[in-house]
Structure formats: C-alpha cells, structure tokens
Amino acid sequence: MTQAPTTRRSSRRRHDREIIALAVPAFGALVAEPLFVIVDSAIVGHLGTSQLAGLGVAAALLTTAVSVFVFLAYATTAAVARRVGAGDLSSAIRHGMDGIWLALLLGAVVVAVTLPSAPWLVEAFGASETAAPYATTYLRISSLGIPAMLVVLAATGVLRGLQDTRTPLYVAIGGFAANGVLNVVLVYGAGLGIAGSAWGTVIAQVGMALVYLIVVVRGARRHGASLRPDAAGIRASAQAGVPLLVRTLSLRSVLMIATAVAARMGDTDIAAHQIILSLWSLTAFALDAIAIAGQAIIGRYLGANDAKGAREACRRMVQWGIASGVVLGVLIVLARPLFIPLFTGDESVQDTLLPALLVLAVSQPIAGVVFVLDGVLMGAGDGRYLAWAMLLTLAVFAPVALLIPSLGGGLTALWWAMTLMMTVRLATLWIRTRSGRWIVTGATR
C-alpha cells in the first residue's frame, strides 16, 4: 500500500516525459508551417497591393485544399503507432507507404482539377479584377506542389507513429529557410515577381517531400518493408481517412459559418473576429501539439495490448490539456494590452474585440481537454465516432450562430456560440472516453 503513491508518481513522470518529448517538437513544426505564407506575404507585399491581394486569395484556396487532406497525417499516425506498439516495424512502415501512395494519388487529382479551373476558383472567391490575374498565376504554379504537400502530411504521420516528432521539426525549419531564400532570389533576383514566389514555395515543398521520402525509404529497407504500391493497402488507408475527412469538413464548416455571421454584423465586427480567430488558431497550435502526442502514444499502447497504459496516458494528457488551457487563458487576459494594438489601432475594433476576447480566454481550458481527447480517439482509430460527433456539433452550432444577428447579438454572442460548440465537442468526446469503447487493442483496430 505504501508503494502506491510512489508508483503513481513514477507513472506520471513517465507519461510526462513521453508527452514532452513528442509535443514540444510537434509544436515547433506546427508553428513553422504558417510561416511559409507569412514569408511569401512579406516578400510579395513589396511588389504591390494587387499582387499581395492575389497571393491572399490563392493562399486561402491552397490552405483550404490541403487542410481537407489532413487526415493523411492523422490516420497514418494512429495506424503506424499501433503496429509499432505490436513490435511489427516492417508492417508499420508498409502501412505508412500506403498512406504516402494515397497522398500522391490524391495530389495528382487535385492538380488535374486546379490547373484548368484556377481562374474560376479565383473568381468564385471574390478576387478583384486587378488581383485575379496574380491569384490565378500563383494558384496554378503552387498547385504543382500539392502532391509534395500531401506527401509531407502522410510522411509526417508515419514518423509521428514511429514516435519521432523531431525529424518533422527539422524538415519544417529547413523548408521554411529554403522557402525564404528561394522567394527572395526568384522574386527579385530573377525578376519573376509573384510567379517567383510560387515557384520558390513549390521547390521548397518538393525538397521537404524528398527528405521525408529518403527517411521513410531508409526505414523500409532497414526493416524489410516493401515500397511498391499495394492497391488493398491504399484502399484501406483511404477508408480509414474518410471519417476523419468528414470530421475535418464539419469543423471547417463551423469556422466558415462563424466568419460569415461576423461579416453580416459589419466591418468592425468582422475585423475584430479575424483577430480573435487568429489568436484562436495560435492557441490551437499549442493544444494540438499535445493532441499529436496523444495520437502517437495511445496508438502505441493499444498496439501493445496495454489497455491500462492507454487509460493512464489518456488521464495524464487530459490533465495536461486542462493546465495548458488555463495557462493560455491567463496569458490572453494578461497580454491583451500588448498584442491588441499590434493588430489594430481602431478604437471601435478594440472595443468590440475586448469582451469577445475574454470569452476566448475563458473557453481555453475546455479547448485544452477537447484537443487532447480528439487526439486520444484519433490515436485509437475511432474515426467513425469522431465524424458523427463533429456532425452533431455542427448541427447544434449552425442554427445558434445563424440566429445571432437576427436576435440582435454581436461578436461576443458569436464567441459564446463558439464556446457552446467546444462544450458540445467536450461532452461527446468525454462520453466516449468514459465509456471505454474506444479501447480496442491489437496491431489493427
């Protein structure tokens, strides 16, 4: 009996070490990704307002297209981690290769659709007459890098499943640096303008994909895994990804509805909403890093038939999620006098922003648990439940959000609706986690 507290402390320390070892590099890699667009914007911005506007439209389309396929990373992480836990590294890498082949196929389809439809997509997105030609140019060239971007997603999932988040961090940093250098050289040195920025990004993305492929291929050869495409394996990867695709599309729909509602409130409200949404995205990177650790750790425990270890890891990660959410919420409140002026000097926007910002701060502990449990269930391969849970959340959020303007509500009411959305997610994920039905052990679910 006297050893029980010591055993619990030892278990917590072990889980803490695992979480930190995976989450910290994952956070660095997540932060590096949006820096691509920031660097492109900074360089292209000096070419002119029309060029920057065109980049903004094209970048939004590309980001949306790629984010839809984030399941390539999530599904692959869970499946590979299970096989690692089962001690079958050859099968783990073989499954990872199936995900990479699927990424190449999907990338080819996206390129085939985007190249001819680029002008229509740009027009549908509302680009002005002066910005549209630049947006079309950037979109067409950058679409050539989409297969590489999707390979990066799938290969990142492979390495996360192998409990390696350091390599993705190094690759992300290298890609960011290469992108910056190539953009300067091609935009200004070669005089290619916005086309040079697009080509620089494509080359950097292809370079990142090649580095990942080298790492995965070496692992395959070391463990005797086949590199050839396997139709059954690719089909299985696609089937595993469909529920996560539904989940992602539902979440994107929530964000699009929120932005559309804010836009109906007026320029001041939409400006304040975009600032809060940017901060929401930034805090999401920190919380998502813990979720990524959860995917890898839970998958490994379940693959090793260690249901007890999976439960303990889940419990500890929830504690991390709560603590991280509290810290982020406090930071938002304390740092608001520092960062609000960085976003806007308009007093009306600041006045509209402040109360909604406090709602965001209050909701952070809820978000912390939601992200963690989302990662736990992804690591368990419980994608079908996640899809239905997110559809239910969308069904609750949409009517509430859409009614806000007609009821005279403002931006603060909208962000209370966003908090309701996160609370519904918390309830659905908590119920599932408490039920234990997500715990399916073995190399495959």
Side-chain angles (χ1 to χ4, degrees):
M1 293 294 290
T2 56
Q3 292 181 345
T6 303
T7 302
R8 285 197 296 270
R9 285 196 296 270
S10 176
S11 177
R12 284 198 299 268
R13 285 195 295 267
R14 184 179 74 254
H15 290 309
D16 288 346
R17 286 194 296 269
E18 287 184 330
I19 294 167
I20 292 171
L22 291 171
V24 172
F27 174 70
L30 288 170
V31 170
E33 291 173 6
L35 293 178
F36 271 73
V37 176
I38 293 175
V39 169
D40 287 4
S41 299
I43 294 172
V44 171
H46 291 287
L47 295 174
T49 302
S50 297
Q51 288 91 331
L52 183 58
L55 170 64
V57 171
L61 286 166
L62 289 164
T63 301
T64 300
V66 174
S67 66
V68 166
F69 297 110
V70 73
F71 70 84
L72 289 166
Y74 293 159
T76 305
T77 297
V80 171
R82 274 185 175 271
R83 289 161 175 80
V84 168
D88 191 352
L89 289 177
S90 176
S91 177
I93 296 174
R94 171 64 262 180
H95 188 88
M97 284 303 305
D98 292 334
I100 291 173
W101 281 113
L102 176 62
L104 286 170
L105 290 173
L106 291 173
V109 172
V110 174
V111 172
V113 171
T114 305
L115 284 176
S117 64
W120 178 84
L121 290 170
V122 167
E123 182 181 355
F125 212 78
S128 66
E129 290 185 5
T130 54
Y134 297 111
T136 301
T137 296
Y138 191 93
L139 181 59
R140 276 181 166 158
I141 296 172
S142 291
S143 68
L144 300 176
I146 287 179
M149 296 168 73
L150 299 190
V151 166
V152 166
L153 283 177
T156 299
V158 176
L159 295 182
R160 288 173 181 170
L162 293 170
Q163 316 297 296
D164 176 10
T165 55
R166 290 183 178 273
T167 299
L169 171 61
Y170 300 147
V171 174
I173 292 173
F176 167 69
N179 179 61
V181 172
L182 287 166
N183 267 258
V184 171
V185 170
L186 295 176
V187 171
Y188 299 117
L192 296 179
I194 194 169
S197 176
W199 281 118
T201 301
V202 169
I203 293 169
Q205 290 163 347
V206 170
M208 292 171 66
L210 289 175
V211 172
Y212 273 118
L213 288 175
I214 289 170
V215 172
V216 174
V217 167
R218 283 179 176 174
R221 289 176 175 171
R222 185 163 57 250
H223 297 288
S226 173
L227 297 173
R228 294 180 179 180
D230 176 67
I234 295 172
R235 186 165 54 251
S237 294
Q239 290 171 346
V242 168
L244 295 180
L245 174 62
V246 172
R247 168 205 167 273
T248 300
L249 290 174
S250 300
L251 181 56
R252 296 292 300 183
S253 298
V254 165
L255 300 178
M256 290 174 64
I257 290 171
T259 300
V261 169
R264 289 169 58 189
M265 296 176 181
D267 290 347
T268 298
D269 290 89
I270 186 62
H273 174 74
Q274 285 303 114
I275 294 171
I276 299 177
L277 197 59
S278 298
L279 291 169
W280 186 84
S281 299
L282 182 61
T283 59
F285 285 134
L287 300 176
D288 204 27
I290 304 174
I292 287 169
Q295 293 172 33
I297 293 170
I298 294 298
R300 193 190 74 233
Y301 274 118
L302 293 178
N305 294 310
D306 187 354
K308 180 183 177 182
R311 288 192 186 92
E312 290 177 351
C314 174
R315 189 179 305 114
R316 189 56 177 163
M317 280 183 284
V318 167
Q319 294 169 355
W320 270 78
I322 295 171
S324 300
V326 170
V327 170
L328 288 171
V330 171
L331 285 176
I332 289 172
V333 173
L334 295 180
R336 69 188 189 282
L338 300 176
F339 64 73
I340 289 179
L342 295 177
F343 285 103
T344 179
D346 189 323
E347 290 187 4
S348 62
V349 174
Q350 292 182 359
D351 291 341
T352 303
L353 170 68
L354 187 57
L357 189 66
L358 295 178
V359 175
L360 174 67
V362 169
S363 69
Q364 286 305 294
I366 297 173
V369 180
V370 167
F371 274 79
V372 165
L373 295 182
D374 207 38
V376 166
L377 296 186
M378 283 185 190
D382 204 7
R384 184 170 297 180
Y385 181 84
L386 289 172
W388 283 111
M390 198 62 225
L391 284 171
L392 172 63
T393 302
L394 175 60
V396 173
F397 170 79
V400 173
L402 293 172
L403 280 172
I404 287 173
S406 61
L407 294 176
L411 187 66
T412 302
L414 176 60
W415 275 91
W416 276 119
M418 288 288 285
T419 302
L420 170 65
M421 179 270 294
M422 294 300 289
T423 304
V424 173
R425 290 188 70 190
L426 174 62
T428 57
L429 297 174
W430 187 264
I431 289 170
R432 184 65 167 184
T433 306
R434 292 288 293 176
S435 74
R437 296 179 64 184
W438 59 279
I439 300 177
V440 180
T441 58
T444 58
R445 183 177 173 84

